[in-house]
Amino acid sequence: MSDTKMIEEDKQAVYSGDHCLSCTSCMANCPVMAASLEYRGPKLVAPAHGRMHFSQDDYEDSLDFCSNCKSCDRACPSGVAVSTLNMLMRGEYYRHHPHSKRDDMLAHGERMAKLVSAIPFGSTFANLGTKVGGALGVLSAMGIAGQRSMPSYASKTFYRQFKDIKQPKSDKKVLFYPGCSINYNEPHIGIAFVKVMNHNGYEVLVDEGMNCCGSPLVVTGYLDEAKEHADNNVSRILKWKEQGIPVVVCCTSCSLMLRAEYAELFGEQRMEDAAENIYDAFEFLEELMSKGELKTDFKRVDKKLIYHVPCHLKTQGIGTPAVSVLKQVPGVEVELADAGCCGISGNYGFKKEKYDISMKIGEKLFERIKESTADDVICDCPTCRMQIKHGTQTDPCHPIEILEEAYR
């Protein structure tokens, strides 16, 4: 790795803690601190210990409380990558300490999903198994929040369904990265994306050689394994970039990892180069709209929508492109929930000891949705949708599903 070109030192997350002013903005904006007195705060965990650049075997006891929601990063006036420093510290800790079986399972969802999809009727047995295991307290005994339902596996993955789609050939192409959730749990969202792009004259390609973005690995401390995923994915993204084919993503946590967190965590120039070829789905559609290239032959959709903006979308600094696009659909009204973090933060809220914190963080959002007169809740993030469903008994959908409905 000695010949690997790194980004400039002042842009590397590991050194950003040196710019901390101890102003406590990160602490004032941390949803976990607001929900739990046990967390001593992102400033102490990340910048304070990060200044030692991980040269000493010294770890803050509340390191495990950070959910990586990145509220602290957005609040920092000095540009300190607070949450990324937390993740680097967590990765360093687990290089010298064993993981629990629970964390191993939560971090390796892709591994389990591949096994399930390879077995005939695997999804049926797996879904039944998690329901029975939850009812009998097996999951709780492992350290998983027993109040939650585990995500269900689809009977047929997105990649398998994609092979059956008859697309029009086109010179305009995009590479769709479904991530684990769409591929294994919610393939209908990927199908909706393909239909939207086909309607706009694009042929959609996939690359089954890409793997999980690595976000679940990072937050559970499997940093070296996450680096392997980054190396593979970045190499493939760069090959598509050379062909002039953008990579488009429907999951905001995946897009954040691919376009920002790889470089922040690992500091390699090629990761920044690959990031230039990553687009959020509605970011790409909004760009088409700005150039007058987005098809506007919408049918009327009389729906009032309430939109929860995921933390990982806010962190990308691209605004709310789904709102801009959906407002072009006759009959659609979109209001922002504007109620902060939902609290689940990927696999954070699935941990038994973090469940109450997760639900406490989400209280404001739950109440906002319950009080709303909206017909549907929309959100780009799969785990946010799980949390909203759990906390409000509504059935949120991805914004791309609304757009696809308007094009029918």
Side-chain angles (χ1 to χ4, degrees):
M1 295 298 292
S2 58
D3 60 345
T4 300
K5 184 177 180 182
M6 306 296 286
I7 58 178
E8 295 175 13
E9 189 173 287
D10 62 357
K11 293 170 65 178
Q12 293 183 37
V14 69
Y15 297 108
S16 65
D18 293 335
H19 302 291
C20 175
L21 302 173
S22 295
C23 69
T24 72
S25 291
C26 59
M27 300 172 76
N29 286 275
C30 176
V32 177
M33 281 199 78
S36 173
L37 296 176
E38 294 182 73
Y39 187 33
R40 298 173 66 184
K43 180 170 71 73
L44 179 63
V45 175
H49 283 73
R51 282 195 172 102
M52 295 181 290
H53 304 316
F54 318 110
S55 61
Q56 300 179 32
D57 188 16
D58 180 22
Y59 303 98
E60 164 55 37
D61 290 340
S62 63
L63 172 63
D64 190 50
F65 278 85
C66 175
S67 69
N68 200 36
C69 72
K70 299 195 173 290
S71 296
C72 49
D73 298 51
R74 297 193 301 275
C76 181
S78 302
V80 177
V82 186
S83 62
T84 301
L85 282 169
N86 280 334
M87 295 306 105
L88 289 168
M89 289 286 291
R90 192 174 292 173
E92 184 62 22
Y93 176 85
Y94 280 109
R95 286 191 179 103
H96 310 287
H97 298 79
H99 280 91
S100 67
K101 290 183 179 179
R102 186 274 313 274
D103 283 359
D104 179 72
M105 187 179 85
L106 291 177
H108 296 92
E110 182 186 43
R111 180 182 65 194
M112 177 63 72
K114 283 182 175 180
L115 289 172
V116 168
S117 64
I119 302 170
F121 304 106
S123 61
T124 301
F125 293 125
N127 293 338
L128 179 62
T130 55
K131 286 181 181 178
V132 172
L136 295 178
V138 175
L139 296 180
S140 181
M142 289 181 63
I144 292 174
Q147 302 92 323
R148 291 199 185 277
S149 298
M150 298 300 286
S152 296
Y153 294 107
S155 59
K156 196 174 181 180
T157 67
F158 167 76
Y159 281 140
R160 287 182 182 174
Q161 294 186 42
F162 179 80
K163 290 180 173 67
D164 297 328
I165 301 175
K166 292 181 172 58
Q167 297 189 71
K169 294 295 181 182
S170 174
D171 292 334
K172 298 189 295 184
K173 303 180 192 297
V174 295
L175 186 286
F176 178 54
Y177 175 81
C180 300
S181 179
I182 290 176
N183 188 35
Y184 297 108
N185 308 109
E186 299 181 299
H188 61 278
I189 294 174
I191 300 301
F193 172 79
V194 174
K195 290 180 178 179
V196 166
M197 296 311 297
N198 287 170
H199 191 85
N200 280 281
Y202 279 82
E203 182 180 353
V204 178
L205 309 176
V206 295
D207 183 347
E208 295 189 46
M210 294 184 73
N211 49 15
C212 171
C213 68
S215 182
L217 295 166
V218 169
V219 297
T220 36
Y222 290 87
L223 204 58
D224 294 335
E225 199 172 337
K227 177 60 164 60
E228 294 174 7
H229 284 227
D231 288 340
N232 175 66
N233 290 337
V234 165
S235 295
R236 291 180 174 275
I237 292 166
L238 289 172
K239 288 180 181 177
W240 292 109
K241 184 181 180 183
E242 288 172 4
Q243 298 175 55
I245 298 176
V247 177
V248 185
V249 189
C250 276
C251 169
T252 50
S253 294
C254 289
S255 57
L256 179 66
M257 181 62 68
L258 297 174
R259 82 190 312 175
E261 289 186 277
Y262 283 168
E264 286 185 358
L265 288 163
F266 308 117
E268 295 181 12
Q269 182 59 49
R270 66 195 191 99
M271 294 172 177
E272 281 206 339
D273 296 340
E276 296 171 354
N277 202 43
I278 301 297
Y279 293 84
D280 167 78
F282 274 92
E283 175 190 20
F284 190 84
L285 291 166
E286 185 181 45
E287 191 171 304
L288 292 184
M289 186 176 71
S290 69
K291 295 187 289 188
E293 297 176 5
L294 183 74
K295 290 284 185 70
T296 56
D297 54 338
F298 304 114
K299 76 170 189 181
R300 187 173 182 85
V301 179
D302 289 308
K303 283 186 177 179
K304 184 177 181 182
L305 307 170
I306 183 167
Y307 178 38
H308 170 62
V309 184
C311 293
H312 288 175
L313 177 63
K314 293 176 185 175
T315 304
Q316 295 182 49
I318 58 175
T320 53
V323 175
S324 301
V325 174
L326 289 178
K327 281 186 174 180
Q328 308 306 308
V329 179
V332 168
E333 296 179 42
V334 186
E335 61 174 318
L336 298 180
D338 194 23
C341 180
C342 77
I344 196 167
S345 292
N347 62 33
Y348 185 86
F350 281 90
K351 298 176 181 180
K352 186 176 182 178
E353 72 278 12
K354 300 298 190 302
Y355 175 78
D356 289 340
I357 296 173
S358 171
M359 295 304 288
K360 178 75 173 176
I361 292 170
E363 280 181 356
K364 185 179 177 182
L365 175 62
F366 303 153
E367 288 306 310
R368 176 76 176 87
I369 289 172
K370 289 175 182 178
E371 293 169 359
S372 172
T373 59
D375 301 303
D376 285 312
V377 184
I378 56 172
C379 179
D380 320 72
C381 174
T383 52
C384 288
R385 291 194 298 274
M386 291 180 209
Q387 176 80 329
I388 291 168
K389 183 175 183 177
H390 183 66
T392 66
Q393 290 71 58
T394 59
D395 193 13
C397 67
H398 193 290
I400 202 73
E401 297 178 76
I402 303 296
L403 190 62
E404 189 272 328
E405 180 184 348
Y407 276 138
R408 288 179 196 165

